[in-house]
Amino acid sequence: MTVSAAVSETIFLERAASIIRSGGLVAFPTETVYGLGADALNPDAARRIYAAKGRPSDNPLIVHIADPGDIAPLTERVTPAAEKLINMFWPGPLTVILKKTKLVPDETTGGLDTVAVRMPDHPAALGLIRLSGVPVAAPSANISGRPSPTRAEHVAADLGGVIDMIMDGGECRVGLESTVADCTGDVPVILRPGAITAEMIGAAPGAHGDVRRSPGTRYRHYSPLAPIIVTDAPPRELSEADGALCFDDTRSEYCGGAVVSLGARSDAAQAMRNFFAALRSFDASGVRLIYAETPPDTPDFAALRDRLFRAAMPL
Ligand code: AMP
Ligand code: MG
């Protein structure tokens, strides 16, 4: 069932919350991307998330809470590093990694002894979590490997008929997944870049080595059906079977093919918001190859570059 009406209406939230409480799966909007939610403390519910997405079982889930204080039962210790980031950025697109308690099942953390926690900045998400009365485990609500969903239609295309309910909250404001910061030590270490940059959180440098990556970021991910070539100089004359992902300043230089702009080259926030929908639009055009202009190598584009390079990884 897809709920298209105002998702904050209590009757829909009540229904969604009762599905979560009984171990079912509800897709819900957040400010980053749509999440596929289940009771984070129920191992069977967590297993259902992996089955619905076809997600590798070693790729842990993020646990969503509706109040900063709700983190206490989930972790052994909220470190000073985590406390500082929580005060600065919650609710918002920042996930903290801390040592987990026994309350959090291994199914939710992919067998790790740490747990990822976030408080989203979205009224429907917060309403759902509050009414459910449990922390809500939620990865992105896409089939594993596909572009993350930033609209309810994207969720329906991937998971319609497979999950119990889709809450439609329109387009996601941020458009890329949260920044993931390991806060188990003295200084936060970024495991996955997002809209909140390394500079904004004063993260340790050198966080992008293989060892310190988020488990989930090792896989090819976010990919449309056609392969992507990231290049500084894409051909401007395209065949009908080609796609181009560009910015507004070069848009008019292309002819032929399916050309999609991420917006102004100076506006990383806009590019992030448009990115996943742009990738999915190439599927609808049926192109066989996508040329993507290399995004600017500036800190505000770090998250977009990460997602684009990962989407372009060979299978
Ligand atoms: P998704 O919700 O689909 O964006 O994926 C969640 C991301 O958070 C993945 O990249 C995971 O690897 C990462 N993550 C979740 N839990 C942990 C953890 N305990 N340690 C490190 N990374 C985590
Ligand atoms: Mg994901």
Side-chain angles (χ1 to χ4, degrees):
M1 178 180 74
T2 302
V3 173
S4 311
V7 288
S8 50
E9 278 179 33
T10 318
I11 183 166
F12 295 124
L13 285 177
E14 286 285 4
R15 178 161 187 158
S18 80
I19 292 172
I20 298 281
R21 278 194 300 269
S22 57
L25 302 183
V26 175
F28 62 97
T30 79
E31 81 280 26
T32 59
V33 301
Y34 276 74
L36 179 58
D39 179 351
L41 306 184
N42 175 341
D44 291 329
R47 259 187 236 114
R48 269 184 212 120
I49 290 181
Y50 288 90
K53 281 180 60 88
R55 184 176 175 102
S57 60
D58 63 346
N59 187 0
L61 310 175
I62 293 172
V63 178
H64 292 70
I65 56 177
D67 185 280
D70 293 343
I71 196 172
L74 305 175
T75 177
E76 297 287 347
R77 188 170 92 96
V78 179
T79 59
E83 196 162 315
K84 186 168 156 229
L85 296 190
I86 288 169
N87 286 334
M88 283 172 78
F89 296 110
W90 279 10
L94 178 87
T95 296
V96 299
I97 307 285
L98 290 165
K99 283 267 183 275
K100 82 172 190 76
T101 57
K102 287 200 186 70
L103 186 66
V104 186
D106 286 342
E107 282 78 0
T108 296
T109 63
L112 296 175
D113 64 353
T114 50
V115 61
V117 189
R118 178 169 104 85
M119 177 181 171
D121 185 15
H122 193 292
L126 294 173
L128 173 66
I129 300 163
R130 281 197 186 109
L131 271 179
S132 300
V134 290
V136 173
S140 51
N142 52 296
I143 289 173
S144 198
R146 296 274 296 142
S148 298
T150 54
R151 296 177 194 162
E153 305 91 270
H154 302 161
V155 181
D158 279 16
L159 298 172
V162 175
I163 61 179
D164 300 301
M165 181 169 167
I166 301 171
M167 292 166 64
D168 187 347
E171 193 178 9
C172 297
R173 175 169 57 79
V174 175
L176 290 193
E177 304 83 349
S178 60
T179 304
V180 176
D182 182 340
C183 293
T184 54
D186 293 339
V187 183
V189 175
I190 294 203
L191 305 184
R192 176 177 71 182
I196 293 176
T197 64
E199 288 69 18
M200 287 160 77
I201 72 174
H208 293 286
D210 273 353
V211 187
R212 304 310 310 272
R213 286 211 78 103
S214 243
T217 62
R218 292 189 195 116
Y219 305 101
R220 178 179 196 256
H221 207 333
Y222 320 116
S223 300
L225 299 174
I228 302 177
I229 295 174
V230 185
T231 166
D232 289 332
R236 298 299 205 242
E237 281 191 30
L238 304 172
S239 85
E240 283 309 301
D242 292 337
L245 185 64
C246 65
F247 292 93
D248 285 350
D249 55 343
T250 51
R251 173 77 188 76
S252 64
E253 294 171 15
Y254 290 90
C255 58
V259 185
V260 179
S261 173
L262 290 175
R265 199 179 292 272
S266 56
D267 191 344
Q270 185 184 41
M272 288 193 271
R273 195 157 52 240
N274 291 334
F275 180 65
F276 285 127
L279 292 191
R280 282 180 183 262
S281 77
F282 290 116
D283 293 346
S285 318
V287 298
R288 292 207 291 273
L289 182 65
I290 300 162
Y291 295 100
E293 290 181 9
T294 314
D297 191 4
T298 51
D300 53 338
F301 271 98
L304 188 95
R305 289 167 64 89
D306 169 77
R307 303 307 189 276
L308 179 59
F309 292 134
R310 205 142 301 276
M313 263 168 64
L315 266 177

